[in-house]
Structures are given as structure tokens and as C-alpha cells.
Amino acid sequence: MFLSLRTEVEAALEGALSELEFPTDDLGIEEPPEDVESVLASSVAFRLASEAGAPPPQVAGQLADEIDADELTYVSEIQTQGPYLNFLPSDAYFAETLTAGTDESYGALEDREESVVVEHTSANPTGPVHVGRARNPIIGDAVANLLDIAGYDVDRHYYVNDAGRQMAVFTWAYETFDEDDLDGEPERDRIEYDLVRYYRKGNAYLENASEADREAAEAEIESIMQGLEAGDESAYERVSEVVDQVLSGMKGCLARLPAEFDEFVKETRFMRNGDTNDLVARLKELDEAVYEEDAWQLELEAHGIDKNLVFLRSDGTSLYATRDLAHHEWKFDNYDRAVTVLGEDHKLQARQLDTTLELLGNDTEGLQQVLYSYVNLPEGKMSTRRGTGVDLDDLLDEAIDRARQEVEDRLDDRIRDDDLDEDDIERIAHQVGIGAVRYDIVSKQPTKAITFEWEQALDFEAQSAPYVQYVHARCCGILEEAGLDPDTGLATQDIELESLEADLLATEAERDLLETIARFPAVVDEAADDLEPHQIATYTRTFADRFNAFYRECPVLADDVDPEVREARLALVAASKHTVANALSVLGVEPPRSM
RNA sequence: GGGCGCGUAGCUCAGUCCGGAAAGAGCGUCGGACUUCUAAUCCGACGGUCGUGGGUUCAAAUCCCAUCGCGCCCGCCA
């Protein structure tokens, strides 16, 4: 409803301005501070003062007089407060919000008939997912969810770097060393924990071996890369044996979040199908192409990038960037938009990619990156190769353990008599534990650096997932108590929506809650435009505050509540439930029925 | 050295893109609220030269310039 109201206010204000022969290029629309009654305001009078030859408050008065609120649907009144114009919501605004909110898909925007591929995580299949990279699947999954609810047709891709030197090293190590050569036991009973030991062993060997041994190993690694480049089936199969196993383990870890993918796209695909070769040929034709020091490169200085992009090594093999160009042209062929979630260290490459794609004649309008900075440990960076870092599995285990402890501690002083059984405790521990980890990461601007600390990552206090989840559980508790199904829209249940009177929701707490619910679709819209899921997290916090105020002030099921008020409040609780459930689902945080 | 990002309360962060109404939360500290639809909740108090210095503007945390601190990048690695 907020979006409709904004459109209406803009039109009305623009009309008034042109009627008074004022410029209409800047309407000065803004959201007022909390203690102001209106839902939308304008500060346009400031700018008009000199032109009108009158002080701003007087100009505001003129504008307010010019607009007839009776002709507006969602605005009941236009007040001036000094130089500000305040637009107050009408009964229809509240009534329509209440009805719309009772639909279980509230917040989902209209289908835009536009496809978008969200590529995220894409971690090299070298070993267990560690916390340093955990921001990627969590942010990526939320971005995908966000675009989905905002009306886009979303596919989620994991780009598998199976053609790089790292995988050749891994393959060589896997084939060369035996179990006996490895250091220690796998840290966990899953395949990537087992195999990463070969990778670490191989890297250590290359660092410490004698010159001759190292050269022999390098020759083997080189031959694997050449084999891949030549489209040699046996080289592909050798590498795949490692890649597929490690990747399957990593999928298992990511599924715990859960972060699921529609497709795992291997970069060798673009070597095997000839796209990379074709692309190299086209790159050579560009004006920017130069052949220097036996390697083909692109000079991008004229495009504001002073680092050359090498696209063909002196030994004739392609590079990651070359294949990624082919990969992205493939994305352009199949999708309207392409969003990639990347660590900030890939920023320069992203610019090179974008610029080069454009030079190749692509429209890169639909290509966007979401950049985040890595999570570091207090003692420094995490690294799979060196084996430093906290595994995501360990973080999730610890989160669940602590959440379980929390549930058990609270068991004794529960008021609600709903007898949580073992399954409930386990369910809540998972929902809260994993939710807390995801929420902590997704609620912050991705560009801010994070230093990982256990205590901070696993804080279940306010401004965390459980705080918001608790609101959801409260909503469900009330609805269930009233004999309603929390998960289903009210339209199909035993409650008459037509006879609902939003004006029965007259207290300040009810109005504030309803206004907050009304804003949800607009928040989705803006967050999706900006590719910023943390805006949804910020919203859930405000929402939870508003709901808790309502919960405190307004009993729903108490005996002395008028039956009609009770119905209206039930509808408000249902609308709240769907709002918070859908907001949480964007964040990938599960909404518990009870906790 | 150059490019990019970050700097808001003791701590963790919103707000910055698109300038407007005495800067907002949470944690921590202190003090309150469970015979009530769930106290993982709520209420109150304390706490801020928005890194610093200039500039633009009727108005700057927000825009511009400079400067300091931290991070990332500047590979024929990915």
C-alpha cells in the first residue's frame, strides 16, 4: 500500500506545484521521523522559498491548500508543520493493508517477466568451506531470495573452477600420494575433509621439494593443464574425479545453511564446447589486443584500467578470466540479468570482465556485482591450502549446540504449557542456531570488514535472529490459540475478511504496526533494486519492535476484548505473521512455529 | 607509490547512493515489569567533536576537496 500511496502523493504534489507554476523536478518526498504522525512528507517548500518570495512555511501552506485530500484514496489529510508537508494515511490505506497482509504471500511483488541468474559462492573445490568465505553463500542466497520475491525469475548458479592450476595441482597430488603420506586423520567424516589432505600435502611438497623433484611435479601439473586446454577427455576425467568428490562434500556443507543451487556450471564446459577458443580469436581482433612477451593481452588503459588483461598464456593455454568471459556471454544468451556475489579482492577482475565484455559487443547493463569483504580471524586470514581457519561446519555445529543449551535452560521457566518434546528442542536448536549465524552475516553491509569471534557470531540477544523469530512464534501462538492455521492466508479460513473493520484498530500501537506492515512491499522493492538484503534485516528489527509494542498494549484473545476488535486484531496478527515469515525467508532464516 | 572500500556511543551496527524535522538500535552498566495471547520479551536511566580540517548550501553523518587510520587490489594465480 505504501507504494500506491507514494505514487498518489507524487502525482498530487506535482499537480499542485505546476498549478502554482513552481518547478516539479524535485518533489522533496521523504519519510518523516518516527514521532511525526504522517507516513510520507515533503520538504519541497524549502527550495521554493526564494522563488516564491515567501518563507518556507507559507509556501508549504499554499501547497497544502492546493491539494484536495478528498480526491485522494490513501491520504486523509495534508498537514503542514513549519516548512514540511505531511501526508496522513486514510482509513482505506489501513483497511487495504490489513486485507493484503492476510494473504500468505504478502510482500511478494508482481512478476516482472525478467530472468536473472545469481552466481554465488563458486569457491574452488579444494576443501571444506571455511568461515572466511561463508559470507558468500549467505549473502548470495539472500540476494537470490530477494530477487525471487521481488518478481524476478531467478536461477542460482555455482561456477565451478575446475580448469585452473589449483585443480591440476590437486589432481596431481591425489594421484601421486598415498594415504600413508598424509598428515593426520580427516577432521570430519565427509569426503572433502578427507581429500583436502592431498591438496595440502601437494602444496607443501611443491614448497619444500628439491629443484629436480619440483620440476618433475610441475611437468605433470603442466601436462594436466595442457590436456584440459586441448579438450583431452582423459585429462578432464582425471580432474573430474577430484572435483566431483570434493564438490559433493562442499554441497553437503552448504545444504546445511541451506544454500541450494539450480546448476553447477563447470568452467571446463566452455573449453570443451569450443567457446573459449572462439573467444580468444575474437579477442585477438580487438584494437586493444597486443602480443607482448609471448602472451596475448588486452590494453585497457584507455578504459580506465591500467592493468593489462592477459587472455592467452605464452604456452597457449587460456586463463580463468578468458573462460569467465565465455561463461558470461553464455549467461547473457540465457538470462536478462546476471548478478555475481564476489569477494572484494575480485573487484578489479570484475571491472576487467565488464569492460572486455563490452568491447566484445555485449550490453553489460544487466551485469552487476555484489561485493563483500572477507571474514578474517583475529590472527589473520583463513586459507584452505594452509589449513588455517574455522570450518563452516564447526561454526554451525557450535551454533546449534549453544542454541540447544539455551532452549534447555529456558525449559523450566516456560509459562506456555505446550510440552516441547525432544524433536521440538532439536528443531528449535537448528532454526535458532543456524538462523543466528545467517542473520548476523546478512544483516550487515557486505562491504564492512568482519573479524570472526565466536562470542559475537553466536549472540542470541536482541538484534539477532531469535529476537525476530520469537515474534513469529508469538504470532503463531496467538493464531493457533484462536483455532486458525498460521501458515494459510485468512481468506480460506473461518473468518470474514469483508466485515473486517480496520478502524477498530485505533490505538497507536496498532496503527504503527499496520503502517510498518504497509511498508514491507516497498522495502522489498528497494532492497531488490539495490541488491541489498541487509535492508530486509533492518526492516525485520523495526517490525519486531512494533509488534512487541502491540503485543504489550493490545490483548487479542482476552475475555474482555470486544468480539469485533478481536477479529480485527487476529487479522492484524495474521498479517504480522506473514510479513515476518516472508521477510525472514528472504534472509534464509527459518520462522519457528514455537520456541 | 597508485586505485577502490571502510571509519557513527566503551563494543557491534542502522542511517550515507537520493542532503532536510533536536543523530537511531542492540550489547554492556544501573534501576524496574511474569496469578496475563510465550520474559529469547518489555519499560526507564546513563552514554555521540558522526576519524580530522576546509568548502558548497537556507540546511551536511550524507555532496566536494584535503588529510589521518585500517582493509583489499595492482600475477602469463584463481
Side-chain angles (χ1 to χ4, degrees), chain A residues 127-343:
Chain A
V129 180
H130 60 62
V131 171
R133 296 197 273 244
R135 253 178 147 170
N136 204 317
I138 291 171
I139 294 170
D141 194 50
V143 166
N145 293 338
L146 179 56
L147 291 171
D148 184 33
I149 196 177
Y152 294 93
D153 186 9
V154 178
D155 270 359
R156 299 145 198 259
H157 286 189
Y158 185 122
Y159 186 50
V160 185
N161 306 156
D162 63 339
R165 187 187 141 80
Q166 287 185 63
M167 292 324 299
V169 169
F170 202 156
T171 303
W172 156 78
Y174 179 70
E175 293 172 349
T176 302
F177 298 103
D178 292 321
E179 174 75 33
D180 301 341
D181 301 327
L182 304 174
D183 305 324
E185 295 297 304
E187 288 162 35
R188 191 177 281 258
D189 185 21
R190 215 172 47 216
I191 189 70
E192 80 274 32
Y193 286 87
D194 181 5
L195 298 192
V196 72
R197 297 177 304 153
Y198 291 90
Y199 181 62
R200 289 180 181 146
K201 176 72 189 175
N203 278 290
Y205 179 89
L206 290 174
E207 270 177 43
N208 303 319
S210 69
E211 187 82 354
D213 288 349
R214 203 178 52 78
E215 275 174 19
E218 289 291 354
E220 182 60 24
I221 292 163
E222 171 72 15
S223 84
I224 295 171
M225 292 182 71
Q226 288 286 358
L228 287 176
E229 196 69 29
D232 176 9
E233 197 61 27
S234 75
Y236 174 71
E237 277 167 17
R238 287 165 71 191
V239 174
S240 287
E241 184 170 347
V242 176
V243 169
D244 293 348
Q245 291 189 80
V246 176
L247 197 59
S248 75
M250 294 168 77
K251 281 185 205 176
C253 175
L254 293 168
R256 299 182 65 191
L257 285 171
E260 309 276 359
F261 296 87
D262 296 296
E263 205 172 334
F264 287 79
V265 182
K266 287 184 173 178
E267 60 175 333
T268 47
R269 165 180 183 159
F270 303 104
M271 301 167 88
R272 286 147 61 83
N273 71 3
D275 283 1
T276 303
N277 282 337
D278 293 350
L279 198 106
V280 166
R282 284 166 59 213
L283 287 170
K284 285 179 178 173
E285 295 301 312
L286 294 176
D287 292 343
E288 287 79 0
V290 292
Y291 186 73
E292 273 175 17
E293 295 173 38
D294 299 331
W296 278 95
Q297 19 197 317
L298 242 39
E299 272 181 349
L300 301 174
E301 235 169 347
H303 305 277
I305 300 172
D306 32 353
K307 184 196 156 200
N308 279 10
L309 174 71
V310 178
F311 61 89
L312 202 61
R313 291 189 181 99
S314 50
D315 67 2
T317 56
S318 61
L319 290 92
Y320 174 85
T322 324
R323 293 165 232 134
D324 204 25
L325 286 163
H327 172 215
H328 275 81
E329 289 201 328
W330 171 79
K331 285 187 185 177
F332 290 157
D333 285 343
N334 291 286
Y335 298 93
D336 299 320
R337 287 177 62 187
V339 174
T340 318
V341 181
L342 288 173

Side-chain angles (χ1 to χ4, degrees), chain A residues 446-462:
Chain A
T447 46
K448 301 236 183 189
I450 295 182
T451 300
F452 179 81
E453 280 163 72
W454 284 105
E455 290 310 319
Q456 221 168 282
L458 299 178
D459 182 3
F460 297 153
E461 298 295 326

